[in-house]
Amino acid sequence: MLRLIFKRLSLVLVVNSRASPFSHGLFVSNFFLRPMSEISSSLTDPQNLTSYLRNSCGLSQKSAISVSKKLLIENPEKAGTVLELMRTHGLTQIHIEKIIRTRPALLLVDLEHKLRPNMELFESLGFSGASLGKVLIKEPRLLHSDLVDTIDFFKAQGFSDKQLAMIIIKLPTLLLFNTTKVFKPKLDFFRSMGFTDEDVAKILSQCPYILRRGLGNHIMPSVEVLKRVLGTNEDVLKVIKVGYYILDDNLERNLVPNMSIFKSYGVPEPYILRSFVLHPRTLLLRPGHVTEILAEVVKLGFDPNTRLFVLAFSSMALQSKTLWEKKLEAYKSFGLSEDQVYSAFRLQPMFMITSVKKIKKVMNFFMTKVSIEPSEICRYPILLLYSLEKRIIPRCTVLQLLMSNGFMKEDVKLFSYLTMTEEKFVENLVMKYQNVLPDIVKAHKGNIEFQGFAGIV
């Protein structure tokens, strides 16, 4: 009787799966309700294998037909275990479909010596579900490679789990390379330059693309260009730490021509080099784009013989024209004219690198909490570069405390106190009054809420 019920149930499921392979978003496969021996023999038939790939892996009819011509599944039970292991690690049917469609041989992978250890390794690095699926869709070959040895190599070189995860997310293909032949010589070269193990791990986890570059035909020549341009090994190390992506760029194509363009404008070389060390990305732009920005800087009235000239260039080069326009609109929303914004830009070019969100937050604070006109703020554009929470508000709170306790008049020059160096501010105000006004230390640390004040010039 049970056999009769099972046969009827199987027949219903077969008919339903032909009519609609989905039921409430879940695959229903008649293969899972049949004896394994029957499935095994049936999969030698390409038509049955196509149905198996559609029902078990979610492949489309076209993809299933294509895969069935290249794949011979002699052990469906093993293939089913592979799929089940993927599901237990959080991979969805959509993930599995994309992975198997790209790499159908994974259904035949060595389960105990390759697939399971690799899946557990990914889990130990923090990958599961969506994050694991994203990586494996990008590079499914990882599942039948010797990942354990590769990860052990990087860990022995000082890379943390977090840094390894960053490398995998950005460039998972790197795990397929020969570590001894491809990676070790490059890591040794970086150390010979003076980088510590910590430096190397940080740089390469931030920009793993460097590791796919040739040592002799790209990395070493790039370092030689940097030495030729910067002059000292110390500056070379410094600029690579700031702009780790430099070694992935074509320096002969971008940096060298851009240096010449700056010099043609009469910009002193020390200013150019200083700008490059602080903001490497700006001199790695296309030479044509650099020329366009420099023309704008000249048009705004900056003198090429001043440091402000290269700062104005950097400020404009670090953002798109669209973002620049958004920032202009943000300032104008507080009643400032475009001329007033550019006037502030000429005083402190880097104030335009402040985010739109911060512009609105800082301007709103000064207008509502301190009752200062936007035009006054434009006289001190450096304020937009300071931290509102760590510097501006704590200092305002210190001044408020001193005024309310009669230690300071209300006609103080607020901007002079906000732009004062930290050392001088602490010495002249915090340390001077901390014995008679203990709360001033709390105020300076940001532990007292600023209530606002009026009457300050």
Side-chain angles (χ1 to χ4, degrees):
M1 178 61 71
L2 286 175
R3 184 175 298 178
L4 179 61
I5 294 173
F6 182 82
K7 290 180 69 176
R8 288 180 177 175
L9 178 58
S10 296
L11 180 61
V12 170
L13 288 172
V14 170
V15 172
N16 286 341
S17 66
R18 288 172 182 170
S20 175
F22 294 97
S23 178
H24 301 292
L26 298 174
F27 274 96
V28 181
S29 173
N30 59 302
F31 284 91
F32 296 137
L33 299 177
R34 294 162 59 189
M36 196 53 64
S37 58
E38 184 182 339
I39 295 176
S40 181
S41 61
S42 70
L43 292 188
T44 57
D45 183 340
Q47 186 174 354
N48 287 339
L49 179 55
T50 297
S51 297
Y52 178 83
L53 293 170
R54 287 189 63 195
N55 294 333
S56 297
C57 307
L59 271 63
S60 67
Q61 178 71 13
K62 183 179 180 180
S63 296
I65 291 173
S66 175
V67 170
S68 66
K69 294 177 180 179
K70 308 170 186 176
L71 192 67
L72 177 61
I73 299 181
E74 296 180 343
N75 189 345
E77 184 177 6
K78 178 182 177 181
T81 306
V82 167
L83 296 175
E84 183 57 30
L85 183 60
M86 289 183 176
R87 293 187 183 100
T88 58
H89 283 271
L91 297 183
T92 66
Q93 192 73 6
I94 294 175
H95 293 143
I96 292 172
E97 183 272 325
K98 291 181 178 179
I99 292 168
I100 299 301
R101 173 161 47 84
T102 306
R103 202 75 181 173
L106 282 174
L107 290 172
L108 310 176
V109 72
D110 187 325
L111 190 69
E112 295 304 323
H113 295 94
K114 286 288 174 70
L115 184 61
R116 194 183 301 280
N118 286 343
M119 294 294 268
E120 291 174 351
L121 184 61
F122 277 121
E123 186 176 30
S124 72
L125 294 174
F127 291 96
S128 64
S131 61
L132 178 60
K134 189 174 182 179
V135 168
L136 295 179
I137 287 171
K138 188 183 292 187
E139 189 48 84
R141 290 180 296 171
L142 294 177
L143 286 180
H144 51 76
S145 300
D146 294 320
L147 297 188
V148 176
D149 290 343
T150 303
I151 294 299
D152 285 346
F153 167 81
F154 278 109
K155 285 187 175 182
Q157 303 295 321
F159 287 73
S160 67
D161 285 356
K162 184 178 180 180
Q163 289 170 330
L164 286 169
M166 288 172 65
I167 290 175
I168 293 170
I169 290 170
K170 293 179 179 180
L171 196 60
T173 307
L174 278 182
L175 297 186
L176 302 175
F177 285 54
N178 184 301
T179 55
T180 303
K181 293 181 180 179
V182 179
F183 299 147
K184 192 175 186 305
K186 296 171 186 176
L187 298 181
D188 290 342
F189 173 72
F190 288 131
R191 293 191 185 98
S192 72
M193 289 177 60
F195 287 114
T196 64
D197 288 351
E198 185 180 353
D199 292 333
V200 174
K202 183 178 179 180
I203 291 168
L204 296 179
S205 61
Q206 292 286 344
C207 189
Y209 313 101
I210 297 171
L211 285 172
R212 66 182 178 185
R213 294 289 193 176
L215 179 60
N217 61 17
H218 184 90
I219 296 176
M220 293 176 73
S222 294
V223 171
E224 288 304 312
V225 171
L226 291 175
K227 287 181 179 179
R228 190 170 76 242
V229 169
L230 295 169
T232 68
N233 189 63
E234 182 182 355
D235 281 340
V236 171
L237 297 182
K238 189 181 296 182
V239 81
I240 293 175
K241 287 179 183 179
V242 174
Y244 36 81
Y245 44 80
I246 286 174
L247 295 180
D248 189 43
D249 203 281
N250 188 326
L251 300 184
E252 288 286 0
R253 184 183 63 195
N254 295 322
L255 177 60
V256 175
N258 287 337
M259 291 288 294
S260 298
I261 293 171
F262 265 87
K263 290 177 182 178
S264 72
Y265 274 81
V267 182
E269 187 171 293
Y271 289 162
I272 306 172
L273 296 181
R274 177 63 175 167
S275 176
F276 180 55
V277 171
L278 292 175
H279 307 288
R281 192 182 299 278
T282 59
L283 265 72
L284 299 179
L285 300 172
R286 290 181 298 101
H289 188 36
V290 168
T291 301
E292 290 174 4
I293 297 173
L294 288 174
E296 284 291 322
V297 174
V298 170
K299 187 177 177 181
L300 289 169
F302 287 92
D303 182 354
N305 286 300
T306 65
R307 185 168 172 268
L308 285 177
F309 184 90
V310 292
L311 287 177
F313 168 80
S314 296
S315 183
M316 299 183 83
L318 287 169
Q319 52 199 314
S320 66
K321 286 186 177 180
T322 301
L323 183 54
W324 183 274
E325 291 297 327
K326 286 182 179 179
K327 292 178 181 181
L328 275 178
E329 290 303 317
Y331 283 116
K332 288 161 72 174
S333 70
F334 289 94
L336 293 172
S337 67
E338 193 164 309
D339 286 342
Q340 286 177 310
V341 177
Y342 276 109
S343 177
F345 179 65
R346 292 184 187 93
L347 290 174
Q348 174 50 262
M350 298 309 289
F351 99 117
M352 281 298 285
I353 67 171
T354 302
S355 69
V356 172
K357 182 180 179 180
K358 185 178 177 182
I359 289 171
K360 294 180 177 180
K361 198 172 181 179
V362 173
M363 293 294 288
N364 185 65
F365 170 81
F366 280 115
M367 291 178 67
T368 60
K369 287 286 189 177
V370 192
S371 301
I372 290 181
E373 292 296 318
S375 57
E376 284 295 299
I377 301 171
C378 281
R379 293 171 53 198
Y380 299 89
I382 194 172
L383 293 173
L384 274 298
L385 297 177
Y386 296 148
S387 169
L388 185 63
E389 291 77 14
K390 295 180 180 180
R391 182 181 182 121
I392 296 175
I393 294 178
R395 289 195 180 190
C396 285
T397 310
V398 167
L399 295 174
Q400 176 195 42
L401 196 60
L402 290 170
M403 290 177 201
S404 62
N405 285 276
F407 291 104
M408 182 177 284
K409 295 180 180 180
E410 292 187 358
D411 61 348
V412 297
K413 300 291 184 180
L414 174 63
F415 294 143
S416 65
Y417 284 107
L418 293 181
T419 56
M420 188 181 289
T421 64
E422 179 67 9
E423 183 181 5
K424 192 174 180 180
F425 185 86
V426 171
E427 181 183 349
N428 291 356
L429 297 179
V430 181
M431 292 180 65
K432 182 178 178 180
Y433 294 101
Q434 64 180 350
N435 291 330
V436 294
L437 198 61
D439 279 351
I440 200 169
V441 176
K442 293 181 181 179
H444 183 245
K445 290 181 178 180
N447 295 328
I448 296 178
E449 185 180 355
F450 177 62
Q451 301 297 330
F453 44 62
I456 298 177
V457 179

